[in-house]
């Protein structure tokens, strides 16, 4: 059956023959993101200059063709999945980076890779702190679209805290700018922050001005073992009420540590291998001040755990971080499919959340591992299951529903850093009441009256577990 958009796509291809792709391989590689659910678009458009975007959007808006924007598709929620087909606007080639050391800002295009921004800033002694785990390949446009976080959020904050200004386009092709490259801006509505975290539903981000700070030149890393998760979280609360502000504070539960130790082939501590752990890092620009903080850290460590290790060098610090890096991969020893939830609760409620996870394990007989950012309450709950086992899949779904209900009951949020996309749209009605959702829909209609930008995200319940996750090849894969 011919698509009603065929003639429009052909028209676009004639205008931009080098940039509009309709071959099967390109369509497939742009049909999914980290959620691994595929919907084929009709065309993939890859602009190499910003001027191409407005005519594409004008044509799409005129003919009501869905437009899904993407960078490299590293998002885990389906936010970059073209559910309604249409056109994928792949912006990864817009990747210019300019560092202004006087004003301590970075002017970057949306396709710039986060690590490249960090490396460019570091060359002049500056620092862009947000560090999602995919920072080596994810793009800043995607980070802004989902308000990405990372390990360093406990001290430095999330992407939103570093965006000073945005440029981009509305659905009808109108060019807009929100904010300015200035430290203070109290002029008009703050539409910049409305776009941050909107996941491409309100407009197309093409460039951003990012705030930079002095580069921390020193860091110290410590690992603590605990024989109970309660003890680890008690220690977390004690640290967060002290005068210390860790740059990273990660919690890894017993099930995750077991998997990580099996992967690396040795126990973290000879005295006890059946433990949960905290990974703590402090950093700064002054070595003497950091030494004083390290003494405070040691006193805190001695109060809470005899199982401890402080890295004496960068190489030892990297060795300590090995356990955290092994967590995600180790989960697949527990099941071939994962519901990876980045929920966030108040720090004082983390123990309640962990207790609820333990209850879910016992009542539903599903392995659930928890690790993540204890310093800001953003814990990654990994519900593992075998997708070929229908009965187990159903139990995993029930666990997910109960988890989200508990998170909202604890005054938390269903997503701390990944965003909503498709994966969490099913739970938006848990998080927000009808008045809140109605206002969000009305805002969407103001920015995108024809509903062409990233349709079916957020407001239409979607059940990811109804889609089989087969063998997908990501665009950044080398094999």
């Amino acid at each position: 059956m011919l698509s009603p958009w065929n003639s429009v796509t052909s028209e676009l291809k004639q205008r931009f023959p080098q940039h509009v792709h309709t071959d099967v391989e390109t369509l497939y590689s742009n049909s999914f993101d980290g959620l691994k659910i595929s919907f084929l678009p009709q065309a993939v458009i890859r602009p190499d200059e910003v001027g191409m975007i407005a005519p594409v959007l004008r044509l799409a808006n005129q003919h009501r063709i869905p437009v899904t924007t993407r960078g490299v598709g590293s998002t885990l929620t389906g936010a970059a999945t073209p559910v309604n087909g249409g056109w994928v606007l792949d912006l990864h080639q817009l990747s210019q980076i300019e560092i202004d050391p006087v004003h301590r800002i970075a002017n970057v295009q949306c396709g710039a890779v986060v690590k490249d921004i960090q490396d460019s800033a570091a060359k002049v002694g500056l620092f862009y702190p947000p560090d999602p785990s995919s920072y080596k390949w994810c793009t800043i446009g995607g980070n802004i679209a989902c308000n990405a976080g990372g390990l360093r959020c406990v001290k430095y904050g999330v992407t939103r805290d570093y965006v000073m200004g945005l440029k981009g386009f509305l659905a009808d092709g109108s060019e807009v700018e929100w904010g300015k490259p200035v430290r203070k801006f109290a002029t008009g509505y703050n539409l910049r922050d409305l776009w941050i975290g909107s996941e491409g539903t309100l407009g197309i981000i093409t460039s951003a001005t990012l705030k930079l700070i002095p580069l921390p030149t020193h860091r110290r890393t410590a690992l603590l073992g605990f024989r109970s998760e309660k003890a680890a979280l008690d220690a977390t609360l004690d640290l967060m009420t002290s005068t210390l502000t860790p740059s990273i504070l990660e919690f890894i539960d017993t099930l995750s540590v077991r998997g990580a130790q099996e992967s690396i082939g040795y126990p973290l501590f000879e005295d006890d291998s059946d433990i949960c752990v905290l990974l703590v890092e402090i950093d700064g620009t002054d070595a003497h001040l950091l030494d004083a903080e390290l003494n405070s850290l040691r006193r805190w460590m001695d109060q809470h755990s005899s199982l401890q290790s402080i890295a004496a060098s960068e190489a030892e610090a990297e060795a300590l971080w090995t356990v955290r890096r092994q967590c995600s991969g180790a989960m697949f020893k527990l099941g071939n499919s994962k519901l990876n939830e980045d929920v966030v609760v108040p720090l004082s409620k983390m123990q309640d959340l962990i207790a609820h996870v333990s209850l879910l394990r016992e009542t539903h007989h599903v392995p659930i591992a928890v690790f993540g950012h204890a310093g800001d309450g953003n814990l990654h709950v990994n519900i593992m299951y075998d997708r070929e086992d229908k009965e187990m899949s159903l139990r995993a779904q029930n666990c997910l529903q109960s988890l989200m209900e508990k998170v909202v009951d604890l005054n938390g949020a269903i997503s701390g850093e990944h965003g909503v996309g498709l994966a969490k749209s099913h739970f938006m009605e848990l998080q927000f009441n009808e008045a809140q959702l109605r206002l969000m829909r009305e805002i969407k209609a103001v920015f995108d009256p024809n509903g062409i930008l990233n349709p079916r995200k957020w407001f239409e319940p979607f059940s990811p577990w109804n889609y089989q996750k087969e063998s997908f090849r990501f665009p950044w894969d080398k094999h």
Side-chain angles (χ1 to χ4, degrees):
M1 180 178 177
L2 291 176
S3 166
W5 304 318
N6 277 354
S7 61
V8 187
T9 301
S10 297
E11 178 185 340
L12 186 69
K13 195 167 186 177
Q14 288 176 3
R15 184 168 180 179
F16 302 110
Q18 304 302 315
H19 304 89
V20 179
H21 305 271
T22 56
D23 60 285
V24 174
E25 183 176 358
T26 301
L27 296 182
Y28 176 69
S29 66
N30 286 268
S31 70
F32 58 92
D33 59 19
L35 190 62
K36 300 183 181 179
I37 294 175
S38 174
F39 291 89
L40 283 177
Q42 188 175 47
V44 175
I45 303 149
R46 289 176 173 157
D48 56 10
E49 58 181 34
V50 173
M52 281 185 57
I53 297 174
V56 169
L57 289 173
R58 284 196 290 267
L59 200 58
N61 195 54
Q62 178 185 349
H63 295 277
R64 304 199 175 195
I65 299 173
V67 176
T68 304
T69 310
R70 72 182 282 131
V72 294
S74 58
T75 176
L76 299 171
T77 66
T81 301
V83 183
N84 281 14
W87 296 344
V88 166
L89 192 58
D90 177 354
L91 300 180
H92 82 272
Q93 293 185 90
L94 302 177
S95 57
Q96 293 180 6
I97 301 170
E98 295 178 358
I99 304 297
D100 180 345
V102 173
H103 296 95
R104 294 184 179 180
I105 60 175
N107 293 305
V108 300
Q109 288 188 309
C110 56
V113 172
V114 172
K115 185 179 186 300
D116 293 341
I117 297 172
Q118 293 173 339
D119 290 347
S120 298
K123 289 177 182 177
V124 293
L126 295 174
F127 184 41
Y128 177 69
D131 61 332
S133 60
S134 56
Y135 76 102
K136 291 182 179 180
W137 59 79
C138 66
T139 61
I140 190 63
N143 278 210
I144 295 169
C146 69
N147 192 26
L151 276 66
R152 289 194 285 254
C153 294
V154 59
K155 180 176 182 178
Y156 293 106
V158 296
T159 300
R160 182 187 305 279
D161 300 309
Y162 295 87
V163 178
M164 300 170 67
L166 293 173
K167 291 182 181 180
F169 294 88
L170 300 178
D172 64 2
S174 300
E175 192 168 7
V176 293
E177 180 179 7
W178 310 130
K180 288 288 183 181
V182 291
R183 295 282 169 169
K184 296 178 179 178
F185 190 83
T187 310
Y189 291 118
N190 185 359
L191 298 179
R192 174 199 62 198
D193 277 12
L194 193 59
W195 268 27
I196 299 169
S198 66
E199 300 182 34
T201 61
L202 301 181
I204 308 297
I205 297 168
T206 56
S207 63
T209 299
L210 305 175
K211 177 178 69 175
L212 303 176
I213 62 176
L215 178 70
T217 50
H218 306 279
R219 69 170 182 161
R220 297 303 298 269
T221 306
L223 178 71
L224 285 83
F226 300 86
R227 292 180 174 86
S228 78
E229 289 154 357
K230 181 182 183 302
L233 296 176
D234 281 342
T236 295
L237 293 179
D238 185 46
L239 179 60
M240 297 308 295
T241 55
S242 74
T243 57
L244 277 174
T245 302
S247 54
I248 301 176
L249 178 54
E250 293 289 291
F251 167 77
I252 308 174
D253 77 352
T254 303
L255 190 58
S256 302
V257 171
R258 266 186 223 141
Q261 289 181 144
E262 187 177 337
S263 295
I264 62 179
Y266 56 85
L268 297 177
F269 298 101
E270 292 183 4
D271 294 345
D272 202 330
S273 61
D274 199 20
I275 55 172
C276 61
V277 303
L278 290 178
L279 266 163
V280 189
E281 188 167 284
I282 56 175
D283 69 3
T285 57
D286 187 307
H288 296 295
L289 288 177
L290 195 66
D291 284 342
E293 289 194 347
L294 182 60
N295 289 332
S296 297
L297 182 65
R298 283 195 174 105
R299 287 193 293 271
W300 168 78
M301 292 171 66
D302 290 340
Q303 289 173 6
H304 290 281
S305 176
S306 60
L307 301 171
Q308 54 179 261
S309 175
I310 297 179
S313 65
E314 285 293 315
E316 288 186 17
E318 286 302 306
L320 292 183
W321 281 109
T322 300
V323 62
R324 176 63 173 85
R325 296 192 182 102
Q326 292 293 329
C327 285
S328 185
M331 295 300 99
F332 289 98
K333 296 175 182 178
L334 305 173
N336 62 20
S337 296
K338 173 166 65 172
L339 297 173
N340 178 9
E341 306 307 320
D342 64 317
V343 297
V344 56
V345 296
L347 298 186
S348 60
K349 300 294 184 181
M350 286 193 294
Q351 291 196 27
D352 295 330
L353 179 64
I354 294 297
H356 187 70
V357 169
S358 296
L359 180 63
L360 291 177
R361 286 194 202 105
E362 294 170 7
T363 56
H364 293 278
H365 306 291
V366 172
I368 308 174
V370 183
F371 57 85
H373 321 312
D376 54 30
N378 181 198
L379 298 177
H380 294 271
V381 180
N382 296 265
I383 303 171
M384 306 304 300
Y385 66 102
D386 182 347
R387 63 173 172 258
E388 280 78 35
D389 185 333
K390 292 184 178 179
E391 196 272 334
M392 187 180 190
S393 297
L394 181 60
R395 296 201 310 272
Q397 295 165 35
N398 291 337
C399 286
L400 178 57
Q401 180 70 33
S402 180
L403 172 70
M404 292 303 188
E405 290 172 357
K406 186 64 176 180
V407 165
V408 173
D409 183 60
L410 293 173
N411 200 27
I414 60 176
S415 175
E417 56 187 4
H418 294 166
V420 176
L422 294 174
K424 297 181 179 67
S425 62
H426 187 73
F427 303 107
M428 286 288 277
E429 291 182 354
L430 269 179
Q431 186 78 76
F432 302 105
N433 64 31
E434 182 50 41
Q436 293 168 310
L437 290 170
R438 181 178 69 248
L439 186 58
M440 289 184 194
R441 294 188 190 100
E442 290 171 354
I443 291 171
K444 163 73 170 170
V446 168
F447 280 86
D448 179 21
N450 289 331
I452 67 165
L453 297 180
N454 212 2
R456 289 183 63 190
K457 309 296 163 63
W458 290 21
F459 305 119
E460 291 186 36
F462 184 90
S463 300
W465 45 80
N466 291 336
Y467 294 83
Q468 192 76 3
K469 298 182 181 181
E470 300 295 349
S471 177
F472 285 84
R473 178 173 61 82
F474 287 97
W476 57 83
D477 281 347
K478 299 299 182 185
H479 303 289

